[in-house]
Amino acid sequence: MAQYNESAPWMQQLKRNRIANYQPTFQEVQKAFNDYWSTRDHKAKGSGYKPFKRWEYIWETVADEEGYLPTSKDKWEAWQHKNEMQSGMGSVDLSNWQALGPVTHTNTGSWSSGQARINAIAVDPNDANTWYIGAPAGGLWKSTNAGASWATTTDDLPQIGVSGIAIDPANSNIIYIATGDDDASDTASAGVFKSTDGGANWSQTGLNPETTPSSMNDIYIHPSNSSILWVATSSGVLKTTDAGATWTNMLSGNIKDIKLKPGDPNTLYAVTSDQFYRSTNGGDSFSLVTNGVPAGGGRMVIDVTPANAEYVYILSATTSWAFQGVYLSTNSGVSFSARNTTTDVLESTQAWYDLALGVSQTNAQEIYVGCLNVWKSSNGGLTFTKLNSWSNPSGASYTHADIHMIRSFNVPGMTNRMFVCSDGGIYSSTNGGTNFTDHTAGVQASQFYKIAVSPSNVNKMVGGLQDNGG
């Protein structure tokens, strides 16, 4: 849908009207947006108005004469052409670009400034101090000291949005990233890239700009067979059995989330916006589960836990992207029951843009959900407590607004650390959400709209950032 999140509310009429394989132009998407907001309050927090305006600003001048946006293949070919030209001219890149920041930030009031939007996190299964985070338009960042400092090696890739990260448990130097921005389409997917040297260098896999779906999110490696991977994409669950050389679509549909059953990688779970699927043969085939699964939803996310491998949680939003409910399966996804359909843990109608669910690695009853803020349940979702408020950055449990991922990891030396990825950075708590620590300092992936530089002093500049102040 013109490389914009097709779950956005203003995209629904375009979806209903389109014929098979129809691609609307930039102008058609722009008109649908303006028509939608002509009768609504765009100043409401969590409306989704600002993410679109960012997308519009980035892409308006890039559309071709017919109004279509460049595909991932178009951009890949342009990048290759640039490299060929530079090589043919025998030129050497003598530019000396340096990142200026922000390297860190300080909250100066009730407005919640931030550092950078973060989509995903992964922890090295063999080293609890090595973390990787993915930014929607700012690349993959690596820390080898538990978030105290960060570095990136993806600046020269033709596509530096990252929404999924997988680390080989048999060899931590092998890393895969699912590219693009799954939530707001700030960048489109260029496929899955692979590193065999801890992220220092990257190469494309068989899922590349020639073959990639428009977006992708979670990616997983088989825990005992490193040649097998699965990735959730807008076209389905794709599987490789040859370490990324070739990929096969095992389940069609816009897959919003996938998970592996702890201790049993033959059992996989996958969800679209309103359907739950289960596989018991390593993803070679899937069965639709309807027993207790919420019907008629607009988006679902799922999570599992080694504390009870039979548990599968669903967090679901309505078609208007408000809270629908939390649901639990205690029989490995065969059936579900509603746990809570009344407590508005989303506090907004922006679930099309961000929605997150995480379960403790040691307590199957301890779950965390997020959309605007982070909420916690200690009884499997029956009741929830709000942990923080996006407009109170001085609070001990503060995390920046708009939660894209909540996740914990079953890694030796990392017990009960819950991570939160949001529009303002990467946070973690080791005491059940009583306190959150901001680990984002050093990540220079802030999304600037515009900057201005003083005509009399080049060292003085000012800029406005997406959801992160000025």
Side-chain angles (χ1 to χ4, degrees):
M1 297 297 286
Q3 295 178 356
Y4 193 73
N5 187 331
E6 65 179 64
S7 295
W10 49 89
M11 300 295 288
Q12 301 311 298
Q13 191 61 44
L14 282 177
K15 288 174 64 178
R16 285 190 287 267
N17 291 345
R18 70 176 180 175
I19 59 176
N21 300 319
Y22 170 71
Q23 280 293 318
T25 64
F26 173 89
Q27 289 77 15
E28 287 174 316
V29 175
Q30 189 179 49
K31 182 179 184 302
F33 173 84
N34 291 331
D35 289 347
Y36 177 86
W37 285 108
S38 64
T39 58
R40 293 172 172 84
D41 178 17
H42 70 268
K43 296 182 179 180
K45 175 62 182 169
S47 67
Y49 185 89
K50 286 197 300 179
F52 178 87
K53 299 302 288 185
R54 176 179 70 244
W55 177 89
E56 180 185 50
Y57 177 75
I58 292 171
W59 292 107
E60 187 165 22
T61 59
V62 182
D64 66 18
E65 62 275 8
E66 295 180 336
Y68 294 103
L69 299 179
T71 65
S72 295
K73 180 181 178 181
D74 294 334
K75 288 182 282 186
W76 178 265
E77 290 177 345
W79 181 76
Q80 288 180 314
H81 182 58
K82 184 269 295 183
N83 289 342
E84 291 167 358
M85 287 182 59
Q86 189 173 34
S87 176
M89 294 167 56
S91 61
V92 177
D93 187 357
L94 299 178
S95 60
N96 186 29
W97 291 96
Q98 296 178 348
L100 297 180
V103 180
T104 186
H105 68 279
T106 302
N107 287 307
T108 57
S110 61
W111 167 251
S112 53
S113 58
Q115 183 79 10
R117 178 154 78 92
I118 304 299
N119 273 0
I121 179 167
V123 174
D124 187 332
N126 303 305
D127 182 0
N129 291 316
T130 298
W131 305 352
Y132 295 87
I133 55 174
L140 181 80
W141 291 76
K142 179 180 181 179
S143 173
T144 57
N145 52 17
S149 62
W150 299 89
T152 184
T153 59
T154 55
D155 283 349
D156 292 327
L157 289 181
Q159 175 54 273
I160 56 173
V162 177
S163 289
I165 309 164
I167 306 165
D168 188 344
N171 182 350
S172 296
N173 284 321
I174 298 177
I175 305 160
Y176 297 82
I177 53 174
T179 61
D181 174 21
D182 181 53
D183 278 335
S185 303
D186 288 350
T187 53
S189 175
V192 171
F193 283 82
K194 180 179 181 178
S195 173
T196 59
D197 53 14
N201 296 282
W202 296 89
S203 60
Q204 62 177 328
T205 68
L207 194 55
N208 53 54
E210 297 273 354
T211 60
T212 187
S214 61
S215 70
M216 50 184 59
N217 48 79
D218 258 354
I219 181 170
Y220 288 97
I221 300 177
H222 192 290
S224 58
N225 185 343
S226 301
S227 295
I228 299 176
L229 293 92
W230 305 267
V231 61
T233 79
S234 55
S235 297
V237 175
L238 304 187
K239 179 181 180 180
T240 177
T241 58
D242 51 18
T246 59
W247 298 79
T248 303
N249 194 328
M250 313 308 294
L251 173 67
S252 297
N254 186 358
I255 307 301
K256 304 305 295 182
D257 203 357
I258 60 171
K259 292 292 183 290
L260 307 185
K261 180 178 179 179
D264 178 13
N266 282 320
T267 301
L268 280 77
Y269 314 109
V271 291
T272 64
S273 59
D274 60 353
Q275 293 178 315
F276 181 94
Y277 292 90
R278 180 176 184 265
S279 172
T280 57
N281 55 10
D284 290 343
S285 63
F286 284 85
S287 299
L288 177 65
V289 176
T290 59
N291 189 354
V293 176
R299 182 175 180 179
M300 293 194 293
V301 290
I302 55 178
D303 203 14
V304 295
T305 173
N308 190 326
E310 298 297 310
Y311 274 30
V312 186
Y313 284 95
I314 294 175
L315 171 62
S316 181
T318 67
T319 52
S320 59
W321 294 277
F323 178 65
Q324 185 176 31
V326 173
Y327 303 81
L328 171 63
S329 170
T330 58
N331 54 14
S332 191
V334 174
S335 62
F336 287 82
S337 60
R339 302 291 285 177
N340 191 316
T341 59
T342 57
T343 307
D344 183 14
V345 296
L346 305 191
E347 306 171 82
S348 69
T349 56
Q350 67 180 49
W352 64 270
Y353 171 65
D354 63 285
L355 189 68
L357 165 67
V359 187
S360 165
Q361 297 289 301
T362 58
N363 182 354
Q365 298 292 319
E366 183 179 315
I367 68 173
Y368 300 79
V369 298
C371 185
L372 192 59
N373 300 298
V374 180
W375 293 64
K376 175 185 178 181
S377 173
S378 298
N379 52 19
L382 290 176
T383 60
F384 281 92
T385 300
K386 184 176 176 178
L387 295 182
N388 51 31
S389 172
W390 68 271
S391 59
N392 181 27
S394 61
S397 61
Y398 169 76
T399 60
H400 191 281
D402 302 348
I403 313 301
H404 292 273
M405 178 178 282
I406 302 176
R407 186 155 297 178
S408 58
F409 296 90
N410 189 23
V411 175
M414 177 175 284
T415 303
N416 296 330
R417 184 185 289 270
M418 187 65 68
F419 290 94
V420 171
C421 302
S422 78
D423 266 11
I426 175 70
Y427 305 79
S428 78
S429 174
T430 57
N431 57 10
T434 301
N435 302 87
F436 276 95
T437 300
D438 186 347
H439 302 285
T440 327
V443 177
Q444 298 184 67
S446 303
Q447 294 182 276
F448 278 90
Y449 281 102
K450 292 184 179 181
I451 61 168
V453 182
S454 166
S456 59
N457 184 345
V458 297
N459 293 313
K460 289 187 176 181
M461 59 195 75
V462 63
L465 290 78
Q466 161 56 28
D467 232 9
N468 288 171

